[in-house]
């Protein structure tokens, strides 16, 4: 091991605290973490010079690949002008342009306003607080309850954690947040004093990549309309082409009252969250200071992140990202079908676009992911489900490498 790698790992184990990580195992002297130092396209390199395909898009964020010249240039140009200025009482060009671009994906008179924040969890927090204050300012202060779906995941800040349906992450914190009803189907929803329903459209992420039945999202929108319940869509994972369309909700022609975005919003380059909402919601906040939405972050609408996001949206057009996806999705589906046919250790394959969960026999998830590293694939499991969610720029041969690495790892594990 190189001396600089040893130095970085020693400092990490002495001072750092990693998310969703058992620190006792991480700091064990026998554990050698990978130190990622470089990326290009769908590839990553560690400090020892080993190359890996970025099999989970750097925790579901990267869209067009690492070190993309267009995004790099946009960030550099913005950096030459200004890196950051307050969005509290001021505007900046990149945020103005980005708000317009995001609203432009939806029909006029629907999602008209964008509130920027820092990440997916805060984008959900914004929707929660806005929806509650909306009820207070429209004569329905008693409508304070939320509904969420069992095994859903919506972030880790306190409000978002209350919506989390994964007990091992959130059970100890739910009592500190708002009242939430957890359901498995639309039929189980109770409209009494219900403010809003929150869902990950088309597919749940942390629930081992489990798709919803076709038509379920449209059914939920119809139910919300009939009972005047607000619909919050958490597209932090599914947004920006992951499911095959720019946003998952477009596949069932559903427009929510709140659309929460992050991760791929900046192309996976910089922290940036956005909550889109309707004119109806916005109008309830017009007036004097007593009706203002007192919420925000120091780096809200950061110009560097907004510049990256605009460049990323431009690449969807110049590189025809969405138009090239169907062939990749189909090819990946064939590769996964062959994998499942050839290996009895594969319990089930679940796929929406380029989002894939490969459920393995109990106890194999982590060992297969670790073995796959030796064959050039970097990803991680959710329990025993191997997540395969590469950047959208991935090529056919790279998809074959990814599934081939899992195939080899299964044989060895």
């Amino acid at each position: 091991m190189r001396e600089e790698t040893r130095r970085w790992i020693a400092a990490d184990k002495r001072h750092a605290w990693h998310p969703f990580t058992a620190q006792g195992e991480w700091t064990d002297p026998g554990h050698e973490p990978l130190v990622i130092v470089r990326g290009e396209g769908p590839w990553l390199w560690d400090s020892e010079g080993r190359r890996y395909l970025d099999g989970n898009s750097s925790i579901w964020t990267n869209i067009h690949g690492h070190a993309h010249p267009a995004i790099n240039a946009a960030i550099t140009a913005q950096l030459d002008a200004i890196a950051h200025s307050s969005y509290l009482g001021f505007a900046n060009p990149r945020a103005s342009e980005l708000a317009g671009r995001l609203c432009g994906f939806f029909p006029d008179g629907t999602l008209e306003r964008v509130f920027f924040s820092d990440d997916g969890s805060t984008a959900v927090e914004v929707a929660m607080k806005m929806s509650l204050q909306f009820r207070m300012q429209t004569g329905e202060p008693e409508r304070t309850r939320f509904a969420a779906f069992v095994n859903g995941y919506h972030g880790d800040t306190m409000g978002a954690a209350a919506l989390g349906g994964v007990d091992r992450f959130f059970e100890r914190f739910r009592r500190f947040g708002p009242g939430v009803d957890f359901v498995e189907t639309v039929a189980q929803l109770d409209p009494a004093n219900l403010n809003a329903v929150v869902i990950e459209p088309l597919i749940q992420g942390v629930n081992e990549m489990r798709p919803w039945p076709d038509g379920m999202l449209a059914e939920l929108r119809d139910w919300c309309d009939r009972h005047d319940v607000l619909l919050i869509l958490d597209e932090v994972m599914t947004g920006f082409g992951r499911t095959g369309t720019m946003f998952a909700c477009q596949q069932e022609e559903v427009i929510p009252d709140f659309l929460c975005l992050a991760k791929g919003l900046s192309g996976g380059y910089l922290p940036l969250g956005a909550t889109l909402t309707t004119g109806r919601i916005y109008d309830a906040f017009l007036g004097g200071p007593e009706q203002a939405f007192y919420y925000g972050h120091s780096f809200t609408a950061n110009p560097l992140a907004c510049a990256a996001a605009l460049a990323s949206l431009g690449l969807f057009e110049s590189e025809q990202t969405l138009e090239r996806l169907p062939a990749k999705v189909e090819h990946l589906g064939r590769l996964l079908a062959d994998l499942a046919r050839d290996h009895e250790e594969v319990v089930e394959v679940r796929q929406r676009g380029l989002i894939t969960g490969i459920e393995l026999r109990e106890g194999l998830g982590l060992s297969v992911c670790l073995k796959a590293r030796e064959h050039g694939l970097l990803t991680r499991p959710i329990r025993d489900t191997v997540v395969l969610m590469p950047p959208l720029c991935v090529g056919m041969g790279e998809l074959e490498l990814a599934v081939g690495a899992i195939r080899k790892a299964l044989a060895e594990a």
Side-chain angles (χ1 to χ4, degrees):
M1 186 188 299
R2 298 172 182 174
E3 181 57 37
E4 59 184 359
T5 301
R6 290 194 186 93
R7 186 174 71 252
W8 290 329
I9 291 176
D12 182 292
K13 291 192 174 189
R14 190 176 302 117
H15 300 293
W17 192 338
H18 291 260
F20 291 90
T21 300
Q23 291 300 122
E25 297 174 7
W26 180 270
T27 56
D28 185 282
H31 175 236
E32 181 185 325
L34 296 186
V35 181
I36 303 300
V37 297
R38 186 167 73 87
E40 183 178 339
W43 298 96
L44 296 168
W45 283 261
D46 70 11
S47 57
E48 296 295 287
R50 295 170 293 211
R51 189 180 78 156
Y52 310 90
L53 186 69
D54 189 355
N56 71 353
S57 296
S58 294
I59 205 62
W60 315 351
T61 61
N62 194 275
I63 298 291
H64 306 287
H66 300 274
H68 195 290
I71 301 179
N72 287 1
I75 294 173
T76 301
Q78 182 59 49
L79 187 61
D80 288 340
I82 186 171
H84 181 61
S85 63
S86 173
Y87 204 58
L88 197 165
F90 303 95
N92 73 68
R94 302 294 84 77
S96 301
E97 294 167 2
L98 180 56
R101 289 289 299 277
L102 292 174
C103 291
F105 286 109
F106 300 93
D108 292 343
T110 58
L111 296 175
E112 299 178 333
R113 296 285 174 171
V114 179
F115 193 98
F116 289 109
S117 59
D118 294 353
D119 53 37
S121 185
T122 55
V124 171
E125 292 273 340
V126 167
M128 294 177 72
K129 289 189 172 183
M130 271 187 184
S131 67
L132 288 169
Q133 189 171 337
F134 169 80
R135 297 293 189 186
M136 296 175 195
Q137 295 178 182
T138 55
E140 296 182 296
E142 73 282 358
R143 300 188 72 167
T144 60
R145 295 193 65 78
F146 289 87
F149 287 84
V150 172
N151 291 322
Y153 175 90
H154 303 285
D156 301 315
T157 51
M158 195 61 77
L163 301 175
V166 183
D167 286 347
R168 70 186 183 276
F169 294 155
F170 302 120
E171 187 175 19
R172 69 189 71 183
F173 298 113
R174 288 195 190 116
R175 63 189 177 93
F176 299 108
V180 181
D181 302 322
F182 288 95
V183 298
E184 292 183 332
T185 67
V186 175
Q188 294 174 335
L189 290 167
D190 181 358
N193 290 332
L194 190 59
N195 167 38
V197 180
V198 185
I199 189 172
E200 302 161 82
L202 296 195
I203 184 170
Q204 288 184 315
V206 173
N207 188 20
E208 303 176 64
M209 303 298 163
R210 296 188 186 275
W212 291 108
D214 291 342
M216 182 272 195
L217 188 62
E219 178 189 1
L220 178 60
R221 174 74 272 185
D222 179 66
W223 187 94
C224 289
D225 288 341
R226 284 188 281 112
H227 297 284
D228 191 26
V229 172
L230 301 173
L231 178 59
I232 301 172
L233 295 189
D234 178 352
E235 291 230 29
V236 172
M237 177 191 74
T238 58
F240 303 102
R242 294 289 185 198
T243 66
T245 50
M246 184 62 77
F247 302 107
C249 62
Q250 293 172 324
Q251 295 189 31
E252 297 194 9
E253 298 182 344
V254 166
I255 296 176
D257 300 286
F258 296 93
L259 181 69
C260 304
L261 306 173
K263 288 192 182 295
L265 173 57
S266 70
Y269 272 62
L270 291 163
L272 183 64
T275 305
L276 280 63
T277 193
T278 65
R280 176 197 177 201
I281 301 294
Y282 180 79
D283 288 349
F285 291 80
L286 297 175
E290 71 282 356
Q291 290 179 279
F293 186 55
Y294 292 113
Y295 184 91
H297 297 262
S298 300
F299 287 92
T300 288
N302 174 263
L304 291 177
C306 290
L310 286 165
S312 175
L313 292 178
L315 288 172
F316 274 96
E317 298 174 4
S318 64
E319 297 188 347
Q320 297 184 303
T321 303
L322 295 179
E323 291 80 1
R324 295 181 178 184
L325 278 181
K328 297 178 184 181
V329 171
E330 184 179 348
H331 188 53
L332 176 59
R334 287 194 298 266
L335 293 170
L336 293 170
D338 291 344
L339 179 73
R341 182 197 62 214
D342 295 342
H343 287 273
E344 62 181 14
E345 295 89 353
V346 177
V347 176
E348 185 180 35
V349 171
R350 298 181 284 271
Q351 182 184 5
R352 283 280 193 179
L354 285 185
I355 299 174
T356 302
I358 306 164
E359 184 179 348
L360 305 179
R361 188 162 44 78
E362 186 175 357
L364 282 177
L366 180 59
S367 60
V368 166
C369 286
L370 292 176
K371 283 288 185 182
R373 292 182 183 182
E374 300 172 14
H375 302 288
L377 175 67
L378 196 61
T379 190
R380 57 182 292 155
I382 303 173
R383 290 185 175 176
D384 286 301
T385 296
V386 175
V387 175
L388 186 56
M389 190 193 305
L392 303 189
C393 67
V394 69
M396 299 296 194
E398 290 154 348
L399 289 173
E400 293 165 8
L401 181 148
V403 177
I406 296 171
R407 183 183 288 274
K408 293 173 184 175
L410 275 170
E412 296 170 0

